[in-house]
Every structure is written in structure tokens, then in C-alpha cells.
Amino acid sequence: MSLVIVGSVAFDTIETPFGRRERIVGGSGTYCSLAASYFTRPRVVGVVGRDFPRSAIAFLKSRHVDLHGLKVRPGKTFHWEGRYEKDPNLRTTVRTELNVFKDFRPEVPAAYAGADIVYLANIDPDGHEFILRQFRKPRLLAMDTIRFWIETKREALRRELGRIDLLFANDEEARLLSGEQNLIAAGQALVGYGPRLVILKKGEHGALVFGRSFVFGVLAHPCPHVIDPTGAGDAFAGGFLGYLDRAGSLVRRNIRRAAVYGSVLASFAIEDFGIDRFCTLDAAAVEGRFREFRRLMSF
Ligand code: AMP
């Protein structure tokens, strides 16, 4: 199997009750690929400016992330700034400087065209068609979205729900997109738009997986100190899709395990600023936490 992630590779400026970091490496494609790298060799399609540090590229490569689809363009790298309140679910976007990401028309390397799993992370829904034409026939097409696209391109997003297999959304996005306040009703309504699976991420409360005829819940790892929540959703998607890519089949047992691995990788991402936790995280720690989840969730 093979997994292609189309997403942002970015500089982030982040303020949380634990401190502030300026222009550290982030982006949905970065978090997602790092999380997936514990299971597979993820391929990234994205763009950075000439100011993006070589050391970050070298780090991603050292984690077996395939960067043939990452273009370096003249100009500045995408820069996002966010601030979190004491409640880590409350986030304010202070600024978004698209820079080279603005006119990003992702070119998919020919070697990626046969991908089994394609993940579109926070991409403008009107750009999906251009990207998807470059793939042959992925077995699993997954996407995530953000409030910005729901508010500005709701109809395009709903149309895209008709062609994807899997949607990741947080609770706020699910409510906005479906128009349902109750999360179960929201999950069911979103499945009704087309995707075979809808994963509702509920931050510190874990996630719910909705299929046409089943629902599965996974807890979040009990974490007393959320240092920096940035990237938790992307790390969840990376753990989930990376595991599925390795497992090779989309049977329900694998989907359940994928959801637990998603929660495991998200739980590590928030333990330090930016991608710092991934610098020291090894596969043994990932497996150790997976076993902890098994104890936590069994009765
Ligand atoms: P998450 O915390 O999982 O929602 O993802 C946070 C990451 O998304 C940050 O590292 C940002 O660089 C990136 N991000 C924020 N806004 C956008 C956007 N409009 N398009 C693409 N990526 C973004």
C-alpha cells in the first residue's frame, strides 16, 4: 500500500499557557506525515519557500518521509499564528500568511499516481479536482477540513463529501457542516452525504468513528498537561491512515485499531511545542501507549 498526504508545510507561531514559540516548523502535512511515519513511508505533496530550514527537511527525511512531492519555490513559507486559552480547545487564529501556499497548484509526482490512500488536509475544496485527476484510483480517499472552508465554501465541501470515503472533522466542524447540534446526529448526517466513514475528533475526549451501520468510540490518552495542542488533529489522521496503510485492508477490526493509533499519535503531539515530541519519539513508545489504551478501554 502507499499513502500520499497533500497538505501544508509551514512555520507556526504559537502561544499557549506554557509559553510562546516563534516560527517553528509545523503544518498539517508535517504533523500528519510524521505521525504516519511510525507505520509506513508517507509521501508528501506540498510547497515551502526558500526560507524553510534544511535541517527540517533533513529531519523529515530521517523519519522516512518521502519528500519528492515537496516543492521549494521562491518566496516565503506559509505562516500561521495561533493562540490557545487555558482550555486547549479554545484557539484563536491570530494570522494566516499564505505566501507560497497561495497559488499552490499541487503537482503530484508520477511515482505517487498509483497511491492506495490519498489524504487531502485542509485543502481548498475547489482545488480537489485538480489534485485528484493526477491519481489513478485510490482505494481510500480521505479529507479534513477547517472552519474557514465550511464558512466560505460550504456547497463545494458538501459536493466533495459525495466523492470521498473518509472525513475527519472536529466537533465544531461537524456541527457547522451538518447543521446538527447533537454530535451523533451530526456524524450520521455527514455519513448520509456520502463518506463511508466519518471520524469526529473530540479533543481531550477522544474520537467517534461513524460507519453506515456502526459507531465506535476511542478515548483520548489522559494527559494532565497539554503543552501545545497544535497538530493533534493532523497527527490523529496520520496515525490512523498510516496504520491502515500498513495493515493493508479496511476491515472493521483494522479501522478500530487505526482509531486507537490515531489517538495515540495525537496524544504524543500535544506533549511538547510544535513537532518537538516527534524528535525523541520511537516506535516502542508508540506501541507502549497503544497497550495502555487497550487497558484503558477494556472492561
Ligand atoms: P491542527 O491543530 O491539527 O488543526 O493543525 C494545525 C496546523 O494546520 C498548523 O501547523 C498550521 O500550520 C496548519 N494550518 C493552519 N491554517 C491552515 C490553512 N488555512 N491551510 C493549511 N494549513 C493550515
Side-chain angles (χ1 to χ4, degrees):
M1 299 267 284
S2 63
L3 165 65
V4 173
I5 297 159
V6 188
S8 56
V9 177
F11 284 130
D12 290 343
T13 294
I14 296 164
E15 196 172 317
T16 84
F18 291 90
R20 182 178 167 89
R21 297 288 186 279
E22 306 267 350
R23 294 173 67 80
I24 56 175
V25 170
S28 53
T30 309
Y31 282 104
C32 184
S33 60
L34 282 172
S37 72
Y38 292 88
F39 309 97
T40 186
R41 182 163 160 71
R43 299 166 152 191
V44 175
V45 173
V47 63
V48 290
R50 294 244 162 90
D51 55 352
F52 197 70
R54 285 188 185 182
S55 55
I57 303 260
F59 172 62
L60 286 164
K61 284 186 177 164
S62 77
R63 302 304 324 223
H64 305 294
V65 176
D66 178 334
L67 294 177
H68 286 103
L70 183 71
K71 294 271 176 303
V72 182
R73 293 261 182 266
K76 285 187 182 174
T77 299
F78 173 87
H79 179 205
W80 174 80
E81 179 170 350
R83 193 173 56 226
Y84 296 85
E85 310 299 324
K86 281 210 184 76
D87 174 352
N89 298 313
L90 297 179
R91 159 159 105 187
T92 312
T93 290
V94 179
R95 63 182 149 147
T96 301
E97 295 164 357
L98 292 173
N99 300 331
V100 291
F101 202 54
K102 185 160 187 282
D103 308 307
F104 178 46
R105 297 270 287 169
E107 285 159 38
V108 176
Y112 293 9
D116 295 293
I117 303 181
V118 174
Y119 175 56
L120 305 174
N122 295 347
I123 301 289
D124 178 349
D126 283 331
H128 285 186
E129 179 60 33
F130 177 78
I131 301 169
L132 294 176
R133 257 191 276 139
Q134 301 175 66
F135 289 99
R136 284 201 278 281
K137 204 174 179 329
R139 287 171 59 191
L140 188 81
L141 177 56
M143 69 172 243
D144 199 344
T145 192
I146 45 171
R147 189 184 179 117
F148 180 73
W149 298 128
I150 301 174
E151 285 174 344
T152 57
K153 301 212 173 166
R154 172 184 294 271
E155 284 319 307
L157 261 184
R158 287 230 177 135
R159 183 193 65 221
E160 289 308 299
L161 290 181
R163 76 153 125 196
I164 62 163
D165 302 295
L166 193 160
L167 172 74
F168 293 98
N170 67 24
D171 37 11
E172 180 198 43
E173 292 154 358
R175 289 190 174 106
L176 274 175
L177 194 53
S178 67
E180 297 282 352
Q181 268 310 303
N182 178 290
L183 263 193
I184 306 297
Q188 287 169 343
L190 291 174
V191 168
Y193 289 128
R196 271 190 287 159
L197 289 171
V198 172
I199 320 278
L200 293 192
K201 296 168 292 182
K202 301 189 296 147
E204 58 187 331
H205 304 300
L208 286 171
V209 181
F210 289 89
R212 297 240 164 88
S213 59
F214 76 99
V215 54
F216 171 64
V218 57
L219 293 174
H221 185 255
C223 175
H225 302 296
V226 178
I227 304 296
D228 172 13
T230 311
D234 305 309
F236 187 103
F240 188 99
L241 297 174
Y243 174 76
L244 275 187
D245 193 48
R246 187 178 76 187
S249 109
L250 307 177
V251 296
R252 205 170 288 175
R253 175 175 180 272
N254 289 346
I255 289 167
R256 286 169 182 260
R257 292 170 74 99
V260 175
Y261 275 115
S263 206
V264 165
L265 269 301
S267 75
F268 282 118
I270 63 178
E271 285 181 351
D272 207 342
F273 275 98
I275 58 169
D276 283 1
R277 185 64 182 91
F278 290 107
C279 297
T280 52
L281 183 64
D282 61 16
V286 170
E287 288 310 314
R289 193 160 287 179
F290 181 82
R291 287 194 296 274
E292 263 182 60
F293 265 78
R294 184 168 269 156
R295 284 194 293 276
L296 190 68
M297 291 172 64
S298 68
F299 60 90

